């Protein structure tokens, strides 16, 4: 099913606005202290842009997944940090500055890494669908990422730097509008594939649960190996575990709108992110509360 032009324009505008609204929380000054210790950034970005795609592909091979499910997992793993990872880090008691730095650098690198992973790993999949379905044009994907990721990110940072007072007034409204757009994109994906959802939900739920567990584990293990403090450890775990599913869904709808399993799995990711984030925040906050209570008594 090919998307009509107006649907593609809406999805593109929605993704642009989502990234721009989140970038309004970023500032060059937030990165200064973090950049002074580049080791944290290098290993954090390495875990996200290199280790996650590799382990995702190993999972695909071990699970012997269908081509569409495999492509969905590759698409998710190829994307930079999730659009809400900074906010989740804040609520979970993580280091917001470190989280923002990871998001910033992984987003910059994504202009190269995302199209690379989206087109490299599928060539290793044994599928008769490979020739007919793998039609992602690298140049088009590069342009899409430039428009949907890098430009709104840069504009958001500049807007906060030069129009901070007005930005404060608009920020909450834009974030609410962005949430509406995210829900609209997912709802549209569900509408396109409503009949497939009921028969595939159990498989989709299990695959997303396992894949995010792998991603969170990579982030946590890396934070342990490089000896981050508990706040930065939480931020790295979240950054690797929560990808930009809106970007993945937008690309999937633009290039593979006829592949229902691909779109449904990525679509469920956008919902599961919110559910799992609440569980993770509650667990870490409960742990902090117990520690504080033990310390005061």
């Amino acid at each position: 099913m090919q998307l009509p032009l107006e649907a593609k324009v809406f999805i593109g505008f929605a993704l642009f606005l989502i990234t721009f609204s989140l970038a309004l929380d970023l500032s060059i000054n937030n990165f200064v202290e973090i950049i002074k210790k580049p080791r944290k950034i290098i290993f954090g970005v390495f875990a996200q842009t290199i280790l996650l795609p590799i382990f995702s592909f190993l999972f695909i091979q071990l699970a012997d997944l269908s081509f569409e499910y495999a492509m969905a997992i590759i698409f998710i793993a190829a994307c930079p940090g999730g659009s809400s990872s900074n906010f989740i880090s804040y609520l979970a008691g993580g280091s917001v500055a470190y989280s923002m730095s990871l998001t910033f650098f992984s987003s910059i690198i994504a202009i190269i890494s995302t199209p690379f992973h989206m087109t490299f790993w599928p060539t290793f999949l044994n599928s008769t669908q490979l020739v007919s379905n793998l039609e992602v044009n690298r140049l088009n994907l590069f342009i899409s990422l430039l428009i949907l990721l890098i430009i709104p990110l840069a504009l958001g940072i500049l807007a906060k730097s030069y129009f901070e007072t007005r930005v404060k007034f608009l920020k909450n409204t834009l974030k609410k509008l962005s949430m509406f757009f995210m829900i609209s994109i997912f709802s549209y994906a569900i509408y396109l594939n409503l009949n497939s959802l009921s028969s595939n939900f159990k498989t989709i739920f299990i695959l997303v649960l396992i894949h995010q567990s792998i991603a969170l584990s990579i982030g946590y293990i890396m934070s342990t190996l490089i000896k981050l403090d508990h706040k930065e450890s939480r931020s790295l775990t979240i950054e690797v575990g929560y990808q930009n599913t809106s970007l993945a869904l937008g690309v999937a709808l633009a290039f593979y709108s006829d592949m229902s399993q691909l779109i449904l799995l990525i679509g469920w990711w956008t919902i599961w992110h919110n559910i799992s984030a609440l569980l993770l925040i509650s667990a870490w906050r409960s742990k902090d509360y117990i520690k504080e209570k033990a310390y005061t008594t």
Side-chain angles (χ1 to χ4, degrees), residues 266-283:
I266 297 176
W268 174 247
W269 255 108
T270 64
I271 289 182
W272 177 248
H273 267 183
N274 296 316
I275 298 172
S276 62
L278 288 174
L279 295 174
L280 193 61
I281 291 167
S282 298

Side-chain angles (χ1 to χ4, degrees), residues 154-270:
L155 289 177
I157 293 173
L158 290 173
K160 183 180 179 182
S161 299
Y162 292 99
F163 307 102
E164 187 168 0
T165 303
R166 296 180 182 179
V167 162
K168 286 182 179 179
F169 176 76
L170 291 174
K171 188 164 58 177
N172 291 333
T173 301
L174 286 176
K175 285 190 175 182
K176 289 178 182 178
L177 189 60
S178 297
M179 182 60 66
F180 166 76
F181 280 139
M182 289 176 68
I183 294 172
S184 297
I185 291 174
F186 175 71
S187 299
Y188 188 67
I190 293 296
Y191 170 75
L192 289 177
N193 302 281
L194 191 60
N195 293 331
S196 302
L197 182 61
S198 58
S199 58
N200 292 279
F201 181 75
K202 182 178 179 181
T203 301
I204 289 172
F205 179 86
I206 293 173
L207 288 178
V208 169
L209 182 64
I210 294 174
H211 188 230
Q212 189 181 46
S213 298
I214 292 171
L216 291 170
S217 298
I218 290 172
Y220 178 76
I221 291 171
M222 178 59 76
S223 70
T224 302
L225 291 176
I226 62 178
K227 299 179 180 179
L228 298 179
D229 61 43
H230 78 282
K231 286 182 174 291
E232 292 175 338
S233 176
R234 290 181 184 183
S235 292
L236 179 54
T237 301
I238 290 168
E239 193 68 22
V240 179
Y242 291 85
Q243 306 306 305
N244 194 331
T245 53
S246 297
L247 177 63
L249 184 58
V251 172
L253 286 170
F255 290 95
Y256 295 100
S257 57
D258 60 329
M259 297 174 66
S260 61
Q261 290 182 345
L262 168 81
I263 292 173
L264 287 172
L265 194 147
I266 297 176
W268 174 247
W269 255 108
T270 64

